[in-house]
Structures are given as C-alpha cells and as structure tokens.
C-alpha cells in the first residue's frame, strides 16, 4: 500500500470507529437502542457476564472492540477490490457522518 492509502485508512478507520462507538454507547436510534438493551439484559443476567456491561456504557471500553472490527474487516477485504470497495463505502459513510453531525450541532444557530 502507498503511504497515502495508509493515511486514508487511518483517518477513515478512526472516524468510523468513533461513530460506531458513539452509536453503540450513546445514541437513541431505535434499532441500536434495542440491541444495546438486549445486550445489557444478557450481560446483567449472571455474575460471570456482568463485567461485559461496561461495553454498553463506556466509550473507552467499547472503542477498542470497534477498532478491531473496522481494521479487521479492512485487512480481510484487502483494502481494494470488491470487498475493499464495500469496506471503503461503509466506513466512509460512517467516517463522514461523524464530523458532519458534530458540525451541524455546533453550526451557530440558537435553539428556540
């Protein structure tokens, strides 16, 4: 891979991981909230699984797992070819949506 591609992978993977972590831990989007609530119910069901509850509440705890998912799928896709294109498309959308949401939130308009 070229140095430019490595930089692009790092930027897209970082922003995509941040968006996935935000989605999983904080967002109220109904399908994600449903999965998060099911995970919480599963993890809270026994003492052996209770330690996994942190993944539902902690950005720092969940982010490494999402980073592994993003980078692992990228590595397995080969970064190029049809699977690589799918990786870039999915993670590109996630990567662009994260700063876009932040920008819209702080665009200077006062709430009414």
């Amino acid at each position: 891979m070229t140095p430019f591609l490595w930089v692009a992978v790092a930027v897209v993977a970082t922003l995509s991981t941040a968006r996935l972590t935000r989605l999983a831990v904080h967002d109220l989007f109904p399908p994600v909230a449903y999965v998060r609530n099911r995970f919480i119910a599963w993890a809270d069901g026994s003492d052996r699984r209770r330690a996994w509850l942190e993944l539902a509440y902690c950005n720092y705890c969940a982010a490494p797992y999402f980073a592994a998912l993003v980078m692992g799928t990228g590595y397995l896709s080969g970064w190029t070819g049809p699977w690589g294109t799918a990786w870039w498309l999915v993670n590109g959308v996630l990567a662009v949506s994260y700063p876009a949401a932040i920008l819209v939130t702080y665009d200077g308009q006062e709430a009414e």
Side-chain angles (χ1 to χ4, degrees):
M1 285 190 353
T2 66
F4 173 78
L5 193 56
W6 278 113
V7 170
V9 164
V11 170
V12 168
T14 300
L15 290 171
S16 179
T17 299
R19 182 65 190 112
L20 285 170
T21 303
R22 169 76 191 186
L23 191 64
V25 175
H26 295 290
D27 286 358
L28 300 176
F29 183 55
V32 176
Y34 173 79
V35 171
R36 182 176 49 246
N37 291 335
R38 297 283 299 193
F39 175 78
I40 291 168
W42 170 83
D44 203 25
S46 80
D47 289 337
R48 294 179 65 196
R49 296 188 298 235
R50 196 157 289 127
W52 289 96
L53 272 173
E54 288 298 316
L55 293 178
Y57 301 109
C58 174
N59 293 324
Y60 299 105
C61 304
Y65 292 95
F66 286 113
L69 175 71
V70 168
M71 293 303 291
T73 55
Y75 177 78
L76 291 175
S77 76
W79 312 109
T80 59
W83 290 108
T85 300
W87 184 89
W88 284 102
L89 181 63
V90 169
N91 288 287
V93 167
L94 290 167
V96 169
S97 71
Y98 191 58
I102 293 169
L103 201 62
V104 169
T105 301
Y106 296 103
D107 70 352
Q109 295 182 5
E110 295 294 324
E112 295 180 23

